[in-house]
Amino acid sequence: MSAIEITFMLGKILAFFGIVVALAALSTLAERKVSAWIQLRYGPNRVGPFGILQPLADGLKFIFKEEVVPDGANKLLFRLAPAMVATPALLAVSVIPFSFPVMIDGVSHAMSIIDVPIALLIILALGSLQVYGILFGGWASNNKYSLLGGLRSSAQMVSYELTLILSILVVMMLSGTMNLTDMFYDQETGQVLLWTIFKFPVGTIAFGLFLIAAFAETNRHPFDLAEAETELVGGFHTEYSSMKFALFFIGEYAAMVTMSCLLVILFLGGPTLFGLLVGIENTWVRALLGMGVFLAKLCSFLFLFIWVRWTIPRYRWDQLMHLGWKVLLPISLVNIVLAGVWVIYIAPTWGG
Amino acid sequence: MDTLTLMFLLIATITIAGSLITLWSKYVVHSVFGLMLALLGVAGFYVLLGADFLAVTQIVVYVGGVLVLYLFGIMLTPPDRAERNVKLIVFCSLPAVAGAMYLIGSARAMEGKWLPGKELPPPPGKHLIHQVGHSFLDKDQYLLAFELASVLLLVVLVGAVYIARRRWEASE
């Protein structure tokens, strides 16, 4: 490894983790701002211009709050649980390519921290680890509302993971790869692939399924039954305070950012913009412009997550299970068959 | 000591500690936590051996799927039953016998082939996934085993639905 490669690697680690943590912090602010805008209020606007420093103020407040461990709580798991939510969510960032690959000394380097062929599977595996934090946190709190929240969350994640994986399978069939960089950009021919969402109807259906499952996997409205405050006080994090509570939040928002990244890469062509950026010769300029496009798409999905939360009412528990098992699962199974038809009969005539 | 050995020792410690927690902890939920550590450690071993696909599958299937179902069952039991009151000796003897048999069997199977310091088989390179896919659907390789496994899973699925459904009708 040459010095420039090591610098590049360190730069990538700092930049990408920085981006995700900053986006997670800013989306807590955006959450309040957008909700205020939807409900005709002002939202936080006292700390810094337009309240932009509010996340920092919140963070400081969290650090200075007292940590309460309830009586009869299971101390070990109670303390571990917040970290078990935040760690996998942040780890998943390491395999996400934020832009086109760049050339260093004639060798192509992917714009993800580690470039592995099974990046998609790694993200799925880390996503399935996140449920433990919620489950253990709910159980260790020694509170019936927390326990119910954890239980609901586990059932919900197991059910919707199916739909999530099956819709990703369709994307894998359409693009013929599991490497996330290859999903939007064929490295061998240098060709930009068509966005999956435009591969009607297969890609479009898969996009819809993935979007719904992503809401359920990240425990976001309208599927946030794990913390439904009208029924369960606060769900799995009822007993948490101070930085432990903040870690749960960081985990939730980081998971939201990762899911949005996946949506952008799998369905909206990642950093590509209708082939406009391909003509640029300098790979660094192209990578930077591509990253801009990627972040713009990413932010629009984050906005969608927040927008949905403040406009759609929460699902009831049985409706959630009904939707997951009796509606989404059959559709995704049929969609896989359709994807097979697409790959064999339609794709050759479309040129990929 | 090189990095690989260091990683091996670290992962081995985690795996063994996880297994011991699984066996000896007072709470069943702690046992599940220990089992999670052990399964993650096994996934770590797969990564060290260059089988990253197997590692991720291990996490998705065992840690992400099976273990969540364990936890789900355990959390539905009342808390006073969540403590274990089986005698430790009874609890440990069966796994100990099974483990010893496995150890002897695998030692004989390997016959000193992959002892520490010996060379590992070369890592399968970037297109591991393609190899896995082809060997599953190649009739000279694992097609029969793959299809049999899927039939078995289908039978299990249908059986589970049947059992759940009967109980549901009886309660009406």
Side-chain angles (χ1 to χ4, degrees):
Chain A
M1 239 193 200
S2 66
I4 187 160
E5 277 175 329
I6 294 174
T7 324
F8 180 56
M9 177 57 90
L10 285 179
K12 276 197 296 193
I13 295 175
L14 280 179
F16 295 163
F17 274 96
I19 285 174
V20 170
V21 173
L23 273 179
L26 282 179
S27 41
T28 60
L29 175 68
E31 181 99 56
R32 297 167 68 180
K33 276 290 196 189
V34 172
S35 70
W37 174 56
I38 285 172
Q39 298 168 345
L40 303 178
R41 294 184 283 111
Y42 284 115
N45 60 358
R46 294 287 139 183
V47 196
F50 307 108
I52 200 123
L53 296 177
Q54 187 67 41
L56 267 179
D58 287 345
L60 273 178
K61 195 184 83 176
F62 273 130
I63 289 173
F64 288 117
K65 288 273 175 184
E66 186 193 355
E67 296 213 10
V68 182
V69 180
D71 245 11
N74 192 302
K75 302 261 180 336
L76 174 74
L77 289 178
F78 187 81
R79 294 203 168 108
L80 267 178
M84 286 167 74
V85 170
T87 315
L90 290 174
L91 264 183
V93 178
S94 57
V95 292
I96 290 174
F98 280 83
S99 186
F100 296 110
V102 292
M103 302 292 274
I104 298 174
D105 300 334
V107 185
S108 175
H109 286 265
M111 275 301 242
S112 52
I113 296 171
I114 44 170
D115 183 31
V116 282
I118 51 166
L120 249 183
L121 274 178
I122 290 181
I123 293 179
L124 285 178
L126 288 170
S128 63
L129 284 185
Q130 236 187 338
V131 67
Y132 284 100
I134 296 175
L135 261 174
F136 283 137
W139 180 80
S141 300
N142 192 26
N143 175 327
K144 49 176 156 307
Y145 296 117
S146 303
L147 181 65
L148 275 177
L151 271 178
R152 281 180 172 190
S153 165
S154 65
Q156 176 182 332
M157 284 210 175
V158 169
S159 319
Y160 279 77
E161 212 162 47
L162 271 177
T163 309
L164 196 79
I165 292 178
L166 288 178
S167 57
I168 287 179
L169 201 64
V170 169
V171 182
M172 284 198 274
M173 285 166 80
L174 293 179
S175 61
T177 178
M178 273 168 137
N179 185 316
L180 287 177
T181 308
D182 291 353
M183 287 267 169
F184 52 81
Y185 183 77
D186 196 327
Q187 282 183 327
E188 275 144 28
T189 61
Q191 199 186 359
V192 169
L193 304 170
L194 185 69
W195 295 8
T196 316
I197 191 174
F198 292 141
K199 291 178 179 170
F200 188 81
V202 184
T204 319
I205 297 176
F207 171 74
L209 292 171
F210 188 94
L211 192 65
I212 297 172
F215 276 96
E217 280 288 299
T218 48
N219 274 320
R220 289 287 299 183
H221 231 88
F223 304 121
D224 65 338
L225 287 129
E227 46 179 293
E229 67 271 12
T230 44
E231 303 157 28
L232 295 180
V233 190
F236 62 94
H237 59 57
T238 307
E239 297 289 353
Y240 280 90
S241 55
S242 182
M243 269 321 270
K244 292 202 197 76
F245 179 73
L247 265 183
F248 274 129
F249 253 60
I250 290 171
E252 183 186 324
Y253 282 95
M256 210 165 95
V257 174
T258 342
M259 276 295 169
S260 306
C261 285
L262 270 189
L263 275 163
V264 171
I265 292 168
L266 296 179
F267 298 100
L268 289 191
T272 64
L273 196 67
F274 306 112
L276 278 182
L277 300 174
V278 180
I280 300 167
E281 286 296 314
N282 189 333
T283 50
W284 287 92
V285 176
R286 193 181 59 183
L288 277 182
L289 286 175
M291 193 183 274
V293 173
F294 189 95
L295 289 180
K297 290 177 183 174
L298 178 61
C299 288
S300 48
F301 270 117
L302 287 178
F303 176 72
L304 180 75
F305 270 91
I306 295 168
W307 183 15
V308 165
R309 172 165 179 183
W310 296 99
T311 30
I312 296 178
R314 183 182 294 125
Y315 265 62
R316 220 172 49 219
W317 176 240
D318 56 315
Q319 289 172 330
L320 178 87
M321 283 292 136
H322 183 273
L323 181 72
W325 288 102
K326 293 185 185 166
V327 181
L328 294 183
L329 188 63
I331 294 178
S332 41
L333 286 175
V334 170
N335 200 28
I336 284 183
V337 178
L338 286 181
V341 173
W342 178 285
V343 169
I344 292 172
Y345 295 107
I346 302 178
T349 63
W350 260 43
Chain B
M1 206 191 298
D2 59 75
T3 332
L4 208 62
T5 320
L6 209 65
M7 288 302 289
F8 174 80
L9 287 179
L10 188 71
I11 294 173
T13 319
I14 291 174
T15 314
I16 293 173
S19 316
L20 291 182
I21 294 172
T22 313
L23 279 176
W24 286 340
S25 69
K26 197 171 144 202
Y27 296 101
V28 189
V29 175
H30 282 185
S31 289
V32 174
F33 180 68
L35 194 57
M36 187 179 97
L37 284 185
L39 290 174
L40 284 177
V42 172
F45 284 134
Y46 290 149
V47 172
L48 280 190
L49 291 170
D52 44 3
F53 179 71
L54 194 59
V56 176
T57 315
Q58 158 96 3
I59 294 180
V60 170
V61 174
Y62 286 100
V63 186
V66 175
L67 216 53
V68 172
L69 291 182
Y70 279 9
L71 265 184
F72 199 72
I74 288 167
M75 286 187 179
L76 287 173
T77 53
D80 52 326
R81 299 262 182 86
E83 280 182 33
R84 176 181 288 157
N85 48 15
V86 186
K87 283 238 172 65
L88 195 65
I89 186 80
V90 182
F91 209 75
C92 290
S93 53
L94 267 178
V97 171
M101 280 166 72
Y102 174 75
L103 208 62
I104 295 167
S106 54
R108 291 205 48 173
M110 289 197 292
E111 285 183 341
K113 255 184 249 167
W114 290 334
L115 289 176
K118 298 247 172 144
E119 259 182 53
L120 290 172
K126 204 181 172 186
H127 292 287
L128 172 71
I129 300 258
H130 294 169
Q131 284 177 22
V132 170
H134 282 299
S135 54
F136 269 154
L137 294 177
D138 187 348
K139 67 176 173 5
D140 297 327
Q141 294 191 45
Y142 301 105
L143 180 62
L144 186 67
F146 180 62
E147 292 297 331
L148 278 180
S150 61
V151 169
L152 178 72
L153 285 180
L154 184 68
V155 170
V156 171
L157 206 62
V158 172
V161 171
Y162 177 71
I163 292 171
R165 182 135 187 108
R166 273 213 331 183
R167 205 172 286 164
W168 178 61
E169 274 172 357
S171 68
E172 269 186 343

